[in-house]
Amino acid sequence: MSDKTIFERIFAGEIPARMVHEDEVCGAFHDINPQAPTHVLVVPRKPIPGISALSASDALIVGHLFVVARRIAAELGLDGGFRLVINDGEDGQQTVPHLHVHLLGGRKMTWPPG
Ligand code: AMP
């Protein structure tokens, strides 16, 4: 039994994913269950469980995720805008305990979110 998160297994090449970006700090790949025409997850290589588990030393990593998300949004032509979402914990409906930013675009989003 592996105690790696599903996203660590993607980084390790054990599970296939449609990668759109990789660098030394993070990777990004298409969500397997897209909620918008574009739905990409931007994920740090460090398996931080979630926003609730952040420490001050993670600040550069988190900033990097947003810069990469912005870059991917431009590369994928999300010129009309997009939405970044981070779910946290049970009430936030987080299902994978490895920090990730959802990049959603390609349709008009609704507000408030569900
Ligand atoms: P969250 O509910 O915020 O924790 O988001 C987890 C996301 O990971 C969901 O949108 C899932 O569809 C997505 N997901 C789970 N497994 C995979 C996978 N193997 N490849 C790509 N996306 C995945």
Side-chain angles (χ1 to χ4, degrees):
M1 259 293 270
S2 163
D3 56 5
K4 283 190 229 166
T5 70
I6 197 156
F7 296 157
E8 285 179 281
R9 296 185 65 198
I10 286 174
F11 285 135
E14 295 168 13
I15 295 177
R18 292 171 54 214
M19 300 298 301
V20 294
H21 173 88
E22 277 195 271
D23 63 37
E24 64 284 358
V25 175
C26 75
F29 44 86
H30 289 278
D31 196 291
I32 204 170
N33 182 24
Q35 302 301 313
T38 296
H39 187 172
V40 167
L41 303 175
V42 187
V43 184
R45 290 186 185 278
K46 181 179 176 185
I48 302 164
I51 287 286
S52 295
L54 279 183
S55 57
S57 60
D58 294 322
L60 281 177
I61 295 176
V62 175
H64 185 75
L65 300 182
F66 282 88
V67 172
V68 167
R70 188 268 290 160
R71 220 180 272 151
I72 294 170
E75 283 166 12
L76 297 183
L78 302 179
D79 302 326
F82 52 86
R83 182 171 288 172
L84 301 181
V85 173
I86 302 177
N87 297 321
D88 188 87
E90 199 181 333
D91 282 358
Q93 293 272 31
Q94 182 181 3
T95 58
V96 176
H98 183 149
L99 180 65
H100 50 285
V101 178
H102 295 258
L103 166 62
L104 296 149
R107 66 168 167 83
K108 196 121 185 148
M109 299 296 154
T110 59
W111 192 265

